[in-house]
Amino acid sequence: MIGYYIHHHGRGHLSRAVAIARALDGPVTGLSSLPRPTEWLGDWVRLPTDEAGAALDPDAHGELHWAPLGNAGLRSRMARIAEWIDRQQPRALVVDVSVEVGLLARLHGVPVVTIAMPGRRTDRAHVLGYAISSAVIGAWPPAATGMGGGLPPLDERLHAVGAISRFAPAEPRAPAPPAGPRRAVVLGGAGGDSFTSEAIGRASAATPGWDWLHLGAHGTWVDDPWGALLAADVVITHAGESAIAEAAAARRPAIVIPQPRPHDEQRSTAEVLADRAWPALVLPEWPADGWPALLESASQLDARGWQAWNDGHGAERAAAVVVAASRARSAA
């Protein structure tokens, strides 16, 4: 039995969890306070959420990220995980992401495989979480130099497996002359971003040769954006890992506009994507003007370069890392 913990703030990581779980040969139990995804194949343990109210010493004097004193929801969640570990005796626990859950599992003698996040992760809590992990998975390719630059030294325990997407990569295609109005697809997220309806309306009005489609919390929410991505001539997206993985799977050129996130997560990814090796035009913020030239420049990028970022086998390589960690526990 393998366990897979998904943090309740990690909605964008659910598709990655599904892909890795499917690549594992054997039963996988999901543990999360999020609802069970319809495509999840194994068991699912629904965990309690935190109790509302003021948080007392939530970071344990800077040693942890979230462990507020006296929080009944936290206590129940950790107890439920501990009870599941004792009952199921998992061979390993994949943690995406929580230093505290990883530490709980390791204190129960369970190997921990942590999914790394981009950004500056050298605070004491992150260092602790990575230090107790048997392996750390980076969902980016080895060729994306710099993606792990904000992590503490991990040496051979860090495995860059490539991007992980719920979609199988599309057939590559080279840039082609337009045969009519072109399509710009804005791939927003469930959280906050600068992709407002007003900003997109102004950009659309300034680019009469383009049809715009806005997907996300501020636009049209769809559970499956795959068809829209495949139809896009240019994808405009934030720099979240899942969004970049999906644009890469669709093999579409991208305009990437990183959003403010803790630990400079998206800015760090954008810095890597700014390398000319990747078919992405990186902007510091949503521009007020200049969209005709920006779309034209992006449309000329050769999106076949995304093959190196997402070759469709990242989940399989991640699963192999988890299996290796679980075998080390079995051998012990």
Side-chain angles (χ1 to χ4, degrees):
M1 169 66 68
I2 301 293
Y4 201 122
Y5 175 83
I6 304 103
H7 194 273
H8 57 277
H9 289 157
R11 291 182 182 275
H13 301 162
L14 279 173
S15 60
R16 177 165 65 194
V18 170
I20 295 175
R22 286 182 170 179
L24 285 164
D25 184 16
V28 182
T29 296
L31 301 103
S32 181
S33 56
L34 294 170
R36 173 184 177 142
T38 56
E39 60 270 42
W40 188 267
L41 299 180
D43 292 333
W44 189 267
V45 177
R46 186 75 182 270
L47 300 173
T49 57
D50 290 334
E51 186 179 58
L56 180 60
D57 188 21
D59 62 358
H61 309 293
E63 299 298 329
L64 300 172
H65 284 148
W66 186 251
L69 294 173
N71 189 292
L74 172 68
R75 182 172 61 250
S76 296
R77 182 163 66 251
M78 291 304 196
R80 184 73 186 278
I81 295 171
E83 186 274 333
W84 178 84
I85 289 174
D86 186 50
R87 177 165 43 85
Q88 295 294 338
Q89 302 179 36
R91 295 184 291 121
L93 181 68
V94 183
V95 178
D96 188 3
V97 288
S98 169
V99 170
E100 294 75 25
V101 170
L103 187 59
L104 176 71
R106 186 62 186 84
L107 288 171
H108 282 77
V110 177
V112 174
V113 179
T114 294
I115 306 293
M117 296 283 286
R120 323 299 178 194
R121 308 283 174 175
T122 54
D123 58 277
R124 295 202 298 269
H126 272 115
V127 169
L128 174 62
Y130 290 130
I132 59 92
S133 299
S134 297
V136 177
I137 292 172
W140 54 76
T145 55
M147 284 295 288
L151 304 180
L154 294 167
D155 300 321
E156 71 280 356
R157 286 188 297 132
L158 176 61
H159 304 266
V161 301
I164 300 172
S165 170
R166 54 183 157 165
F167 305 121
E171 287 296 321
R173 56 180 181 176
R182 289 180 284 182
R183 173 62 63 90
V185 173
V186 180
L187 187 60
D193 57 50
S194 60
F195 306 162
T196 65
S197 299
E198 293 77 13
I200 293 170
R202 289 192 295 269
S204 177
T207 52
W210 290 78
D211 290 333
W212 287 68
L213 175 63
H214 183 193
L215 303 179
H218 298 307
T220 301
W221 182 262
V222 294
D223 291 328
D224 184 353
W226 186 235
L229 292 175
L230 291 177
D233 292 284
V234 172
V235 173
I236 301 148
T237 179
H238 55 86
E241 285 188 282
S242 295
I244 299 301
E246 293 182 355
R251 303 293 191 254
R252 306 315 305 135
I255 295 175
V256 178
I257 306 173
Q259 304 299 298
R261 293 293 186 271
H263 307 283
D264 282 338
E265 174 189 330
Q266 292 202 14
R267 290 194 181 96
S268 296
T269 300
E271 288 172 4
V272 174
L273 290 171
D275 188 305
R276 292 185 179 182
W278 311 109
L281 181 63
V282 177
L283 306 176
E285 58 187 11
W286 186 278
D289 50 32
W291 277 104
L294 289 170
L295 289 174
E296 186 61 35
S297 295
S299 69
Q300 296 306 308
L301 297 172
D302 190 348
R304 291 175 293 183
W306 283 127
Q307 167 69 21
W309 190 277
N310 185 352
D311 65 1
H313 299 291
E316 297 168 20
R317 287 188 285 267
V321 173
V322 176
V323 169
S326 70
R327 286 176 177 167
R329 181 262 192 191
S330 298

